[in-house]
Amino acid sequence: MQLDFFPSRSLTIYLAKMFVVRIFAVLIMLVLVLMALDLLSATGKILTPEGNGQGEILRYAGLRIPQLISRFLPYSVLLATLITLVTLNQNSEVVAMKAAGLSAHQVLAPLLLTAGIVAVLSFAFNERVVTRANSALKAWEAAEYGPIPEDTGIRSNVYLTDGSNILTAAILTGRGEEIQLSNVTWYERGPGGIIREQIKATSARYAAPGWTLESPVRFDVGSAETQEIDALVVGEALTPEQIDLQSVDPDGLSFWELSETIDAFDAAGRRTSEMRASWWHRISGPLSAMLMPLLGSIAAFGLARSGQLFVRAIIGMALGFAYFVVDNAALAMGSFGGYPPFLAAWAPFFLFMLVGETVLIRTEE
């Protein structure tokens, strides 16, 4: 009695090899096209600072490509699934496999195994490459593609609150009392959250207490007047310890670093729903590659000569893209606190796994 979930060794290798080749072919095509479109819009900004040239464009591409690979690898698995299964169906290979006694799940088993290996590699790639690229690119973009201070504590797009008032900075460097803020904006708000004045400064440093704004320019909202003022101290309630917590960028942290940061936020009594949703999605995101053969499996079955193969491929593609839409929506809801973080990260995965299994069993098993 054969209890193996997989077909023969030769057939497993044949299907897995065919699937892998198509995954990487589709991924390379997507990354090249999207990188070219991205460079069309970003090249002008990259070349604006004096001295920037081809080297900086290549640097931008080197930082952007890992992000594109991470984001579009599941799409590549979906499209590769459809191409592989449609090809097998058109060549009557699926019919031959089913005639040999293989179930629909056994036909898909090599593809599911390959997608699982891709998911593991995707997780490792995200942790070792993508997080570092995210951190470096955000810091460079915040510096408007100019020189970035050599500091391991660089963070970008910092948003801090002091009561009802807001302090933002394009770049944060250093830690503790050595923190330096660049391209700073201070918003003083009145009752009801209405902004009364805006103060922009080139930089800010810790004044113990508060933060000294260098070369500040005040804009009074009521009178619509702009005025250059002397150095000003703001945000006296903001301590370096609070800033170290508030200025965390989850996309720039590895899985284990993000876990430690969540613990630190919990100890300080801070809100962690956005980071927890991101933490869970670090696992569910790469695993979505395993859903794609299941969602696209409808394209594998049914007679190619029936004229419904194209319709089946469209249905498989629609199911795959519906997953990505629901996943992004759920993650956004989890970040805002609308869903529990675990539910936001995993509900779309399990929902579409059940949908794919239901479609496969009802139509083929």
Side-chain angles (χ1 to χ4, degrees):
M1 180 177 180
Q2 185 177 356
L3 298 177
D4 291 338
F5 179 65
F6 295 94
S8 67
R9 181 174 180 273
S10 299
L11 186 55
T12 299
I13 294 175
Y14 169 73
L15 293 175
K17 186 184 298 184
M18 178 186 296
F19 191 37
V20 167
V21 170
R22 283 158 177 75
I23 289 175
F24 285 101
V26 172
L27 181 62
I28 291 171
M29 178 193 68
L30 285 177
V31 169
L32 289 178
V33 171
L34 294 170
M35 191 68 247
L37 295 175
D38 194 7
L39 285 175
L40 287 175
S41 61
T43 300
K45 298 177 183 177
I46 297 171
L47 297 178
T48 298
E50 185 177 355
N52 282 6
Q54 182 177 353
E56 282 67 29
I57 294 177
L58 293 176
R59 177 189 175 190
Y60 176 83
L63 294 173
R64 192 75 176 96
I65 285 175
Q67 294 181 336
L68 294 176
I69 292 175
S70 174
R71 178 171 299 178
F72 290 97
L73 182 57
Y75 293 89
S76 301
V77 176
L78 172 63
L79 295 176
T81 297
L82 296 173
I83 294 172
T84 301
L85 296 180
V86 167
T87 302
L88 292 173
N89 198 343
Q90 284 183 324
N91 295 335
S92 299
E93 291 175 272
V94 174
V95 174
M97 285 186 279
K98 295 198 72 175
L102 297 181
S103 67
H105 283 88
Q106 285 179 307
V107 173
L108 293 178
L111 276 63
L112 292 170
L113 175 63
T114 304
I117 295 173
V118 169
V120 173
L121 295 177
S122 176
F123 177 82
F125 180 76
N126 292 343
E127 293 303 298
R128 298 296 299 173
V129 180
V130 177
T131 53
R132 299 177 184 180
N134 287 338
S135 180
L137 185 56
K138 286 184 178 180
W140 197 28
E141 287 176 343
E144 298 180 348
Y145 303 105
I148 301 176
E150 293 293 334
D151 193 299
T152 56
I154 292 176
R155 281 157 285 176
S156 61
N157 299 325
V158 179
Y159 180 94
L160 310 165
T161 56
D162 177 24
S164 62
N165 301 322
I166 301 172
L167 179 67
T168 66
I171 299 178
L172 180 151
T173 58
R175 295 185 179 276
E177 296 187 1
E178 301 299 322
I179 287 177
Q180 295 286 333
L181 304 175
S182 302
N183 297 334
V184 180
T185 304
W186 169 259
Y187 298 95
E188 183 175 325
R189 299 196 292 184
I194 299 175
I195 297 177
R196 294 189 300 193
E197 65 178 22
Q198 176 194 74
I199 302 175
K200 290 191 174 183
T202 56
S203 62
R205 53 184 173 79
Y206 187 51
W211 299 83
T212 302
L213 303 181
E214 304 290 342
S215 305
V217 177
R218 173 186 285 143
F219 173 75
D220 188 283
V221 176
S223 61
E225 293 181 353
T226 301
Q227 176 188 7
E228 294 185 3
I229 57 178
D230 296 330
L232 178 69
V233 176
V234 299
E236 295 185 1
L238 283 173
T239 64
E241 291 76 16
Q242 290 175 314
I243 289 182
D244 280 336
L245 288 179
Q246 285 184 282
S247 57
V248 169
D249 177 19
D251 293 335
L253 300 177
S254 69
F255 183 79
W256 308 113
E257 290 172 338
L258 186 57
S259 179
E260 294 174 357
T261 301
I262 291 173
D263 292 339
F265 270 64
D266 280 336
R270 305 297 297 277
R271 179 175 175 271
T272 61
S273 57
E274 180 178 359
M275 287 188 291
R276 286 188 182 278
S278 177
W279 187 82
W280 281 114
H281 200 260
R282 294 290 182 88
I283 303 173
S284 64
L287 277 180
S288 65
M290 294 190 67
L291 282 180
M292 299 305 111
L294 198 59
L295 296 177
S297 63
I298 191 171
F301 307 103
L303 294 177
R305 290 174 293 177
S306 67
Q308 297 181 353
L309 182 59
F310 179 74
V311 175
R312 284 173 169 266
I314 293 297
I315 293 173
M317 185 177 296
L319 286 174
F321 280 99
Y323 165 77
F324 294 117
V325 173
V326 173
D327 183 55
N328 289 330
L331 191 61
M333 291 294 292
S335 298
F336 287 118
Y339 291 164
F342 180 85
L343 185 65
W346 286 104
F349 180 87
F350 288 113
L351 172 63
F352 278 84
M353 182 178 69
L354 292 175
V355 169
E357 277 290 340
T358 300
V359 172
L360 184 62
I361 292 174
R362 297 270 306 178
T363 58
E364 299 302 328
E365 298 285 26

